[in-house]
């Protein structure tokens, strides 16, 4: 645990950890609350799905643009502006739902999604900055990123539970209003923290142009692997509820929620465990191994015959997810220049969101067919397996990019600064 104690003692780390979780609760709350709000207003799921899709798509499209802006002017002013703009978008959504106007609802959803603060990119950029070479804390980067990704996983476990509670005591509008306030306050507090404020704008001669980080050797291939993970996760997120329906009937919704929560908790625990380890292998090799572990554990879901064994398999297999996220974040932190980190971080959010939607759509077609549930799990496993092979390519782009920015040998071997 000494690594985590040392991480907690970094300048600005406590605020980064606590405010980072609170500010991002909206990522686990808003999509579901929005769906319920619009369904309640219109009485149909089709317009609710349209509004939810507009929210997600606008966020995905705006992310890299906002990230580049943060690289140019600094994270703090962008976080402050979006901390105000995003809640206003959610307020507009509440008013549009009350007016029962689908065009207004969709427009407000797009506005809210497009103004969501670039929190994850700023937070992970801050952790990378705190553990830069020469800070004396570079040996703590794995632990710092592991605790960050693990806490981020818990957002998606706690979010739906929080929606359930707020809808029970109020309504979907209550959940939207609460997340608007929490996101605004959390983001403003985070923007005041020293770790975020120390992320200086890129100098004029180092500003991103054109394709930006997409031109950095190895980065686009990392994104392909990240997209494969996102697609597989989207498929599993649809297949598990279908599995629950086939086994539990009327109680399927509750069972699906429990199973997916076990998956997320397994991931969080695996991330914390990874942060305590000091792997000696190169990051590119770790990436291939963790992807392979996720692929094998996902394939195992296809042979689970009852909800109890599926839940156990999800919890155990989920333990490889957060380490995978930690490793690819660390790779990107090493290969991407500091003046492109925010934009690169937003790509790491945008690509999996889009791929997740695609994976869910494909899985929906498969599970509707007789005997389709195991095949949907196997398809997800195959997609991740392909990403593992790409990452494992000995002379591939990821391996070359990681080797080109390798840390001093002694640091790589024993996890301590030379």
């Amino acid at each position: 645990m000494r690594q985590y104690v040392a991480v907690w003692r970094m300048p600005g780390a406590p605020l980064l950890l606590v405010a980072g979780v609170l500010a991002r609760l909206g990522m686990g709350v808003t999509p579901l609350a929005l769906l319920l709000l619009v369904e309640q207003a219109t009485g149909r799921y089709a317009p609710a799905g349209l509004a939810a899709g507009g929210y997600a798509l606008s966020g995905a499209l705006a992310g890299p643009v906002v990230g580049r802006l943060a690289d140019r002017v600094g994270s703090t002013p962008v976080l402050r502006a979006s901390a105000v703009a995003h809640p206003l978008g959610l307020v507009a959504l509440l008013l549009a739902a009350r007016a029962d106007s689908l065009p207004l609802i969709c427009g407000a959803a797009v506005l809210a999604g497009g103004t969501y603060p670039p929190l994850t990119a700023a937070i992970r950029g801050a952790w990378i900055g705190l553990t830069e070479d020469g800070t004396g804390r570079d040996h703590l980067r794995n632990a710092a990123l592991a605790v960050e990704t693990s806490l981020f996983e818990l957002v998606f476990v706690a979010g739906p539970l929080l929606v359930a509670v707020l809808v029970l005591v109020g309504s979907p509008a209550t959940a939207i209003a609460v997340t608007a306030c929490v996101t605004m306050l959390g983001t403003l507090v985070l923007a005041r923290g020293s770790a975020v404020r120390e992320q200086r704008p890129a100098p004029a001669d180092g500003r991103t142009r054109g394709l930006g980080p997409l031109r950095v050797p190895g980065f686009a291939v990392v994104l392909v692997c990240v997209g494969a993970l996102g697609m597989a996760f989207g498929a599993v997120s649809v297949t598990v509820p279908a599995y629950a329906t086939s086994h539990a009937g009327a109680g399927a919704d509750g069972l699906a929620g429990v199973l997916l929560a076990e998956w997320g908790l397994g991931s969080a625990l695996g991330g914390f465990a990874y942060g305590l380890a000091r792997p000696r292998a190169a990051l590119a090799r770790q990436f291939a191994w963790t992807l392979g572990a996720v692929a094998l554990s996902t394939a195992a879901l296809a042979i689970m015959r009852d909800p109890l064994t599926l839940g156990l398999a999800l919890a155990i297999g989920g333990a490889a997810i957060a380490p995978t996220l930690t490793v690819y974040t660390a790779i990107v932190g090493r290969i991407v220049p500091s003046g492109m980190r925010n934009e690169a971080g937003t790509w790491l959010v945008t690509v999996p969101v889009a791929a997740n939607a695609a994976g869910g759509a494909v899985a929906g077609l498969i599970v509707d067919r007789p005997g389709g549930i195991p095949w949907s799990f196997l398809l997800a496993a195959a997609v991740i397996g392909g990403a593992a092979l790409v990452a494992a390519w000995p002379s591939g782009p990821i391996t070359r990019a990681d080797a080109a920015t390798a840390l001093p040998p002694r640091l790589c071997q024993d996890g301590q600064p030379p």
Side-chain angles (χ1 to χ4, degrees):
M1 294 297 291
R2 285 181 298 176
Q3 295 99 310
Y4 288 139
V5 172
V7 168
W8 180 261
R9 290 175 176 172
M10 289 184 193
L15 183 64
L16 203 57
L17 290 169
V18 177
V21 172
L22 292 176
R24 288 181 292 179
L25 271 178
M27 297 184 74
V29 171
T30 303
L32 177 57
L34 188 156
L35 190 74
L36 297 176
L37 175 76
V38 180
E39 189 277 332
Q40 185 183 74
T42 64
R44 294 178 296 153
Y45 274 103
L50 183 63
Y55 177 86
L57 183 61
S58 64
L61 293 175
V65 177
V66 175
R68 181 170 296 192
L69 179 62
D71 284 328
R72 292 197 172 191
V73 303
S75 295
T76 298
V78 174
L79 288 175
R80 286 173 176 168
S82 55
V84 175
H86 177 69
L88 289 177
L90 293 178
V91 170
L93 178 64
L94 293 175
L95 296 175
R98 176 169 291 187
D100 194 14
S101 168
L102 184 57
L104 289 178
I105 288 172
C106 290
V110 167
L111 174 63
T115 55
Y116 188 82
L119 289 162
T120 299
I123 291 168
R124 293 181 179 173
W127 283 119
I128 291 170
L130 286 171
T131 55
E132 288 276 22
D133 295 344
T135 61
R137 298 184 291 264
D138 44 351
H139 60 292
L140 294 173
R141 179 170 291 183
N142 265 11
L145 291 178
V147 73
E148 147 60 20
T149 54
S150 298
L151 290 174
F152 188 45
E153 286 292 293
L154 292 179
V155 165
F156 296 100
V157 176
L161 298 177
L162 185 57
V163 171
V165 171
L166 292 173
V167 169
L168 183 64
V169 301
S171 66
T174 304
I176 293 288
V178 168
T179 193
C181 294
V182 171
T183 301
M184 181 178 68
L185 292 175
T187 303
L188 290 174
V189 169
L190 188 71
R192 288 177 58 87
S194 60
V196 172
R197 286 188 286 106
E198 288 175 3
Q199 296 182 64
R200 301 299 181 190
D205 58 352
R207 288 181 178 174
T208 307
R209 293 177 177 81
L211 295 176
L214 296 176
R215 295 183 291 116
V216 173
F219 180 69
V221 183
V222 171
L223 280 185
V224 170
C225 296
V226 172
L229 271 176
M231 185 174 184
F233 292 164
V236 172
S237 296
V238 168
T239 309
V240 167
Y243 183 100
T245 298
S246 69
H247 284 77
D253 289 347
L255 176 60
V258 170
L259 291 173
L260 291 173
E262 290 178 359
W263 197 34
L265 285 172
S267 174
L269 292 174
F272 284 120
Y274 175 80
L276 295 174
R278 291 180 177 178
R280 298 182 178 183
L283 285 173
R285 185 173 297 179
Q286 291 181 49
F287 193 30
W289 287 349
T290 55
L291 282 170
V294 177
L296 290 174
S297 63
T298 304
L301 303 179
I303 60 173
M304 299 298 123
R305 298 304 179 191
D306 58 72
L308 180 62
T309 55
L310 181 69
L312 185 61
L314 283 166
I316 295 173
I321 294 175
T324 306
L325 307 185
T326 300
V327 172
Y328 76 61
T329 302
I331 291 174
V332 170
R334 279 172 59 171
I335 67 176
V336 173
S338 59
M340 300 181 182
R341 277 185 190 151
N342 280 291
E343 184 179 349
T346 55
W347 278 112
L348 292 180
V349 175
T350 293
V351 169
V353 166
N356 189 287
V362 172
L365 297 175
I366 296 173
V367 299
D368 277 342
R369 296 181 176 275
I373 290 175
W375 289 107
S376 185
F377 282 134
L378 290 174
L379 174 63
V383 170
I384 303 173
L389 292 176
V390 171
W393 185 7
S395 59
I398 297 177
T399 302
R400 293 199 307 270
D402 182 44
T405 56
L407 297 176
R410 189 162 58 143
L411 182 58
C412 292
Q413 290 171 3
D414 64 17
Q416 297 293 334

